[in-house]
Amino acid sequence: MHEYSIVEGVMDGVIPLARQNGASRVSVIRLRIGTMTDIVREALDFAWDVVCDERGPIVQGCRLEIEPVEPHFVCMACGHEYDADRLHPRCPVCGSGQTLLTKGRELEIASFDIETPETSDDES
Ligand SMILES: [Zn+2]
């Protein structure tokens, strides 16, 4: 399932960076995910737990936080930019259906928090 490979990709990105920064553990990873992606949150949570266990103590029990990104369109006819839900992408100014989605398909690592041996207190 593709949520699994998404989580693998996130870990491949985060773990080496965390190690470089002397992390003993990654406590939370925040992802920015567009609401126009077809990611299923339940499947993502499930894959998250599986992959965190597999990758060992550095990410064991690591929390997943998601920042949703609402769809944002630009009208090709009049240039108006607007937010809209995925079922109503028509331009509210000129009514054109010629619109381009400019936000809402993101899938990126927003940030992550690490614990180091010196600062092992869990403040969260
Ligand atoms: Zn327009």
Side-chain angles (χ1 to χ4, degrees):
M1 75 189 177
H2 94 135
E3 280 79 4
Y4 190 86
S5 56
I6 289 168
V7 177
E8 293 266 297
V10 169
M11 293 303 168
D12 287 345
V14 168
I15 291 173
L17 275 174
R19 289 217 167 98
Q20 275 172 31
N21 286 288
S24 54
R25 202 175 147 259
V26 181
S27 53
V28 53
I29 299 175
R30 297 175 199 90
L31 301 182
R32 200 173 286 131
I33 299 182
T35 56
M36 298 292 276
T37 59
D38 59 354
I39 293 167
V40 178
R41 180 62 203 262
E42 289 73 23
L44 191 65
D45 283 339
F46 180 78
W48 190 263
D49 290 344
V50 172
V51 174
C52 283
D53 266 358
E54 282 174 3
R55 295 299 179 105
I58 191 155
V59 289
Q60 229 148 33
C62 176
R63 280 186 300 126
L64 166 64
E65 287 181 9
I66 291 182
E67 292 176 19
V69 180
E70 297 300 324
H72 188 82
F73 295 86
V74 59
C75 174
M76 304 296 280
C78 74
H80 181 63
E81 291 187 34
Y82 61 100
D83 296 318
D85 76 58
R86 62 201 300 169
L87 298 175
H88 301 92
R90 232 164 236 288
C91 175
V93 171
C94 71
S96 169
Q98 298 280 81
T99 57
L100 190 71
L101 183 72
T102 55
K103 283 185 201 163
R105 291 197 193 279
E106 291 78 359
L107 174 59
E108 54 197 31
I109 299 164
S111 62
F112 60 91
D113 291 348
I114 59 171
E115 293 167 10
T116 60
E118 295 82 44
T119 60
S120 58
D121 281 341
D122 191 0
E123 291 165 16
S124 61

